[in-house]
Amino acid sequence: MSSPVPAAVDPAIAAIRTLALVGPAAAGKTMLAEALLARAGAIGAPGSLERGTTVSDHDALERKLQHSLNTAVMHLTHEGVRLHLLDTPGAPDFVGQSLPALEAVETAAVVINAATGIEPMAVRMMEQAAARHLDRLIIVNKIDAPGVDLPAVLAQIQAAFGKECLPLNLPAAGGREVVDCFYNRSGSADFSSVEAAHRALVEQVVEVDGDFVERYLNDGDVDASELHAPLEEALRQGHLIPVCFVSARSGAGVRELLDVIVRLLPNPAEGNPPDFLRGEGAEAQPMHATPDPAQHVLAHVFKVAVDPYVGKLGVLRVHQGTITPNSLLYVGDGRKPFKVGHLFMLQGKEHVEVPRAVPGDICAVAKVEALHYDAVLHDAAEDDHIHLAPLPFPTPVHGLAIEPKRRGDEQRLWEILGKLVEEDPCLKVEHVAATNETLVYGLGELHLRILLDRLREVHRFEVNTRPPRVAYRETVTARAEGHHRHKKQSGGAGQFGEVFLRVEPLPRGAGFEFVDEVKGGAIPGTFIPAVEKGVREALAAGVIAGHPVVDIRVTVHDGKSHSVDSKEIAFVTAGRKAVIAAIQEARPIVLEPIVDVEIMAPEAATGDITGDLASRRGQVAGTDAQLAGQMRVRAQAPLAELMAYQNRLNALTSGQGRYTVALSHYEAVPPQVQQQLMGQHRLAPDD
């Protein structure tokens, strides 16, 4: 995807860069951010994870756990260029924080630990950055760790992500420094050759521009200082993915990385524009924001933080126009604008007040309740139906039943959970009427544990929990008819409603369809929504095992009404009981979530792991050798068989294994499991 670059870029825009540090946990992203801030003079010295003094990990839980749970926003200035820097969590459970960071930047910097090589989170973020048409940069950190094999790491990167991954610099002096390979034609490096790396870079860049190809073929070289335009085009196309080497601990390569960011990475007018859409659904049309401070405002809220004392903070990226204090902005299709009181740039937990924000700037506004994640802010009425193409968030499938310790605190629990869901798109809360339970769903055990820690330590709210629940679903496998007549007469006005309907299965993942085929007013049109309401209530509560019914079409085709006694409540009841009767005759089954599992563990434990997965109804898809004697095992397994799996993995690997899961699909549970689930449901009180 190529973006036309304006002939003249506003100097304020040309002096901005945006960069998200993404990748696996323990790659050193937070300490790299500290090193960059310190080198640029934004802080006096790098902070410490152990002492809880880093700019990024300012949350109390982050300091306690010594790893990132939220995306932190920072900024620095180097050689007159302002860099907005985002430090994202690396644990897969917190991808709801890391993925939105990609919507705020031109460049995704995937940080790789030189000691462990490529991990699943690095692959995932590379793929997501490519899907969003971002420029990509690979940073190999910890180049001075004992025993690292940097040539093997570079070979692994090129095998995983393509030959377009070329080193912009190479380690030298035993990893104590790095040497540039783009501007330098020669030099000394610990491995490979500066001359060969320079030649490979120039050849890769000139390929996107026919004039430079001809010059290169004729002259044998091109001055790298002339290659800015083709370099930006190569980055936009993904034709070049630069690799930089660095040690955040020692500082080797940190200044050189700042130089790369300022001199070679795109400003907001040079990157690919974000995928904005105008309109809704199938009618939506692509549109591009123009990084022009004189245009009307378009900004996107990519992060929301709700502090129990400060209130709501919306963090946004300006894509078009200029925002100042006193600006009047609309939130999406809202009809009432809000007035920007104070405009901040963030430095971790510090709020630095600024007089304006232009395209490319990342800033924040506070105490605006209408703000929410993914909101588009604008100042023109014609922009009220603009939104960004949605991110592919994973489906939360780990569930936990939760209730307040003190009776009467249910409403406050819902309010707090609502705030936590606002902050994390991968958390979900629902109330199950059939069991009167509040359930929270997350991406894994750690995700839910941190939610409980936040309830207790941040919001001072104590809860009781019950064991994790698997997000089972129900569906039908055959077509069937259902009928119910609801008639109630107990003095005074009565209730009457009769419904005939049929159910039939839909393809897996299709959801729910409601069809009205009633002819001749057998059920008055005013009562059809009541029938649908009753149907939806039954589907949400479940029929055979107490889990939501999905992938079903319900067609109402006949019924009866009474001129006096027919009421909405009568048709709600008739619709609910008719669809229950139909589902019971439609060969219903229970579906279970099947997850993709990736396990990283010592190679010696591979046999034990694959055997254990087989005993859990898992199917191994493959194994891949990694660096440092590690093996990656890829498999699919029922989520129900992986509850508390980390404990088992610790036993199999002496505590050295780790795993991630992501929802793949739903499929029918074995008959004996279905009978067990149905039996448990029968123990619940009848509604």
Side-chain angles (χ1 to χ4, degrees):
M1 178 175 178
S2 177
S3 169
V5 180
V9 178
D10 186 290
I13 311 303
I16 294 175
R17 304 289 183 273
T18 59
L19 184 78
L21 299 175
V22 299
K29 299 184 296 297
T30 295
M31 292 314 300
L32 178 57
E34 291 291 307
L36 292 169
L37 290 167
R39 182 72 199 193
I43 56 176
S48 163
L49 288 173
E50 292 75 18
R51 293 194 298 272
T53 55
T54 63
V55 175
S56 299
D57 293 351
H58 54 82
D59 178 278
L61 282 173
E62 291 176 317
R63 293 197 298 268
K64 177 181 176 181
L65 297 171
Q66 297 184 18
H67 64 75
S68 301
L69 305 174
N70 308 290
T71 290
V73 182
M74 298 154 284
H75 61 273
L76 58 85
T77 300
H78 180 66
E79 294 187 353
V81 171
R82 178 164 64 245
L83 168 62
H84 294 282
L85 185 64
L86 305 184
D87 176 24
T88 67
D93 282 19
F94 303 107
V95 74
Q97 283 283 329
S98 52
L99 277 181
L102 300 180
E103 299 186 307
V105 298
E106 270 69 53
T107 304
V110 180
V111 184
I112 291 173
N113 183 342
T116 56
I118 295 172
E119 298 180 65
M121 193 64 170
V123 176
R124 185 177 198 172
M125 298 310 289
M126 281 287 284
E127 291 173 347
Q128 293 300 329
R132 300 302 280 191
H133 313 298
L134 299 181
D135 291 18
R136 286 166 289 164
L137 170 70
I138 295 174
I139 300 174
V140 179
N141 191 18
K142 304 187 181 183
I143 60 173
D144 53 352
V148 296
D149 186 346
L150 295 179
V153 173
L154 181 58
Q156 189 187 39
I157 289 170
Q158 292 176 333
F161 304 129
K163 295 297 184 182
E164 60 269 27
C165 299
L166 297 174
L168 271 181
N169 54 44
L170 287 168
R176 294 189 300 276
E177 58 187 54
V178 302
V179 56
D180 168 72
C181 300
F182 186 64
Y183 294 105
N184 289 333
R185 289 181 168 89
S186 61
S188 176
D190 289 344
F191 71 91
S192 187
S193 153
V194 173
E195 181 181 4
H198 171 80
R199 188 183 315 114
L201 283 167
V202 172
E203 289 177 356
Q204 192 77 2
V205 169
V206 300
E207 282 181 359
V208 302
D209 189 311
D211 292 339
F212 278 105
V213 170
E214 189 172 343
R215 281 182 54 185
Y216 183 77
L217 292 175
N218 290 335
D219 302 340
D221 200 1
V222 177
D223 190 337
S225 62
E226 299 180 58
L227 292 177
H228 182 81
L231 171 66
E232 297 305 328
E233 183 63 28
L235 293 173
R236 281 193 294 273
Q237 292 182 12
H239 190 67
L240 172 65
I241 302 173
V243 180
C244 292
F245 292 87
V246 69
S247 169
R249 184 191 62 81
S250 71
V254 173
R255 179 184 60 79
E256 290 82 358
L257 180 57
L258 282 171
D259 290 343
V260 165
I261 293 168
V262 166
R263 297 175 189 174
L264 303 182
L265 296 187
N267 64 48
E270 292 173 326
N272 286 318
D275 296 327
F276 276 107
L277 299 170
R278 185 188 295 276
E280 306 297 333
E283 305 299 318
Q285 296 295 317
M287 65 152 290
H288 289 153
T290 304
D292 182 348
Q295 294 281 338
H296 48 91
V297 171
L298 282 179
H300 177 253
V301 178
F302 68 94
K303 175 179 169 66
V304 169
V306 184
D307 187 281
Y309 306 106
V310 178
K312 184 181 290 187
L313 186 75
V315 188
L316 54 101
R317 158 68 190 262
V318 182
H319 291 282
Q320 181 176 289
T322 300
I323 299 177
T324 63
N326 300 321
S327 291
L328 288 175
L329 299 177
Y330 295 90
V331 181
D333 58 1
R335 291 291 172 260
K336 185 178 179 182
F338 72 90
K339 184 178 181 180
V340 177
H342 299 277
L343 191 64
F344 304 104
M345 284 187 187
L346 301 180
Q347 193 72 298
K349 67 179 179 181
E350 303 297 329
H351 298 178
V352 182
E353 197 154 354
V354 293
R356 68 171 189 157
V358 299
D361 276 332
I362 294 174
C363 57
V365 293
K367 299 181 180 178
V368 180
E369 285 305 310
L371 288 183
H372 57 87
Y373 166 70
D374 211 27
V376 170
L377 309 185
H378 59 93
D379 59 0
E382 64 267 24
D383 292 337
D384 62 354
H385 287 291
I386 291 177
H387 55 96
L388 272 180
L391 283 168
F393 288 114
T395 302
V397 290
H398 285 71
L400 194 68
I402 186 170
E403 64 183 15
K405 279 193 174 179
R406 291 195 318 177
R407 290 179 62 85
D409 277 353
E410 288 78 10
Q411 182 60 36
R412 183 161 176 251
L413 174 62
W414 266 92
E415 290 172 359
I416 296 172
L417 290 176
K419 292 176 181 178
L420 295 174
V421 169
E422 276 196 275
E423 295 180 312
D424 189 339
C426 290
L427 280 173
K428 186 178 78 170
V429 180
E430 66 179 34
H431 181 74
V432 180
T435 58
N436 195 30
E437 283 186 317
T438 296
L439 301 180
V440 291
Y441 288 97
L443 298 180
E445 298 165 38
L446 176 61
H447 200 192
L448 293 176
R449 189 167 76 243
I450 294 300
L451 177 138
L452 297 177
D453 287 345
R454 288 201 188 285
L455 280 170
R456 183 176 60 255
E457 298 187 19
V458 178
H459 296 276
R460 306 299 179 190
F461 193 86
E462 296 293 332
V463 297
N464 295 320
T465 62
R466 285 188 290 282
R469 289 171 55 102
V470 175
Y472 291 107
R473 296 292 182 258
E474 300 174 19
T475 193
V476 297
T477 60
R479 179 172 169 149
E481 297 285 333
H483 159 249
H484 186 79
R485 172 185 286 189
H486 177 72
K487 186 175 182 180
K488 187 175 181 181
Q489 194 76 43
S490 57
Q495 295 180 13
F496 181 84
E498 187 169 10
V499 171
F500 292 84
L501 54 73
R502 63 176 172 270
V503 300
E504 55 192 310
L506 291 176
R508 195 74 71 237
F512 165 60
E513 289 182 15
F514 181 82
V515 181
D516 173 16
E517 289 187 355
V518 176
K519 302 290 193 298
I523 300 177
T526 54
F527 291 129
I528 293 298
V531 177
E532 181 176 358
K533 180 181 178 182
V535 167
R536 287 183 178 275
E537 286 180 359
L539 299 187
V543 175
I544 60 170
H547 300 281
V549 183
V550 297
D551 305 336
I552 185 173
R553 177 185 291 122
V554 178
T555 303
V556 180
H557 58 83
D558 201 359
K560 290 181 182 178
S561 64
H562 188 277
S563 59
V564 176
D565 290 346
S566 283
K567 298 177 178 63
E568 179 179 334
I569 184 62
F571 280 99
V572 170
T573 303
R576 183 175 73 249
K577 293 193 174 181
V579 80
I580 289 173
I583 288 172
Q584 289 173 334
E585 298 300 320
R587 297 206 300 271
I589 59 172
V590 177
L591 303 173
E592 64 179 341
I594 305 298
V595 293
D596 292 319
V597 190
E598 283 200 354
I599 301 169
M600 294 287 289
E603 187 174 1
T606 304
D608 290 339
I609 290 170
T610 56
D612 184 68
L613 285 171
S615 72
R616 297 170 183 268
R617 296 192 282 131
Q619 293 185 333
V620 175
T623 58
D624 306 296
Q626 306 292 298
L627 295 179
Q630 295 286 299
M631 182 70 73
R632 180 176 64 162
V633 179
R634 293 174 287 108
Q636 284 193 337
L639 177 64
E641 299 286 349
L642 296 178
M643 306 310 285
Y645 182 63
Q646 187 64 54
N647 295 334
R648 177 59 178 160
L649 189 59
N650 289 342
L652 295 174
T653 64
S654 301
Q656 299 180 61
R658 57 194 185 280
Y659 78 105
T660 63
V661 299
L663 179 65
S664 172
H665 62 282
Y666 274 83
E667 65 181 41
V669 300
Q672 65 273 22
V673 176
Q674 176 156 322
Q675 290 300 319
Q676 180 184 359
L677 293 171
M678 291 171 62
Q680 292 170 351
H681 181 56
R682 281 196 290 270
L683 297 177
D686 186 18
D687 62 2

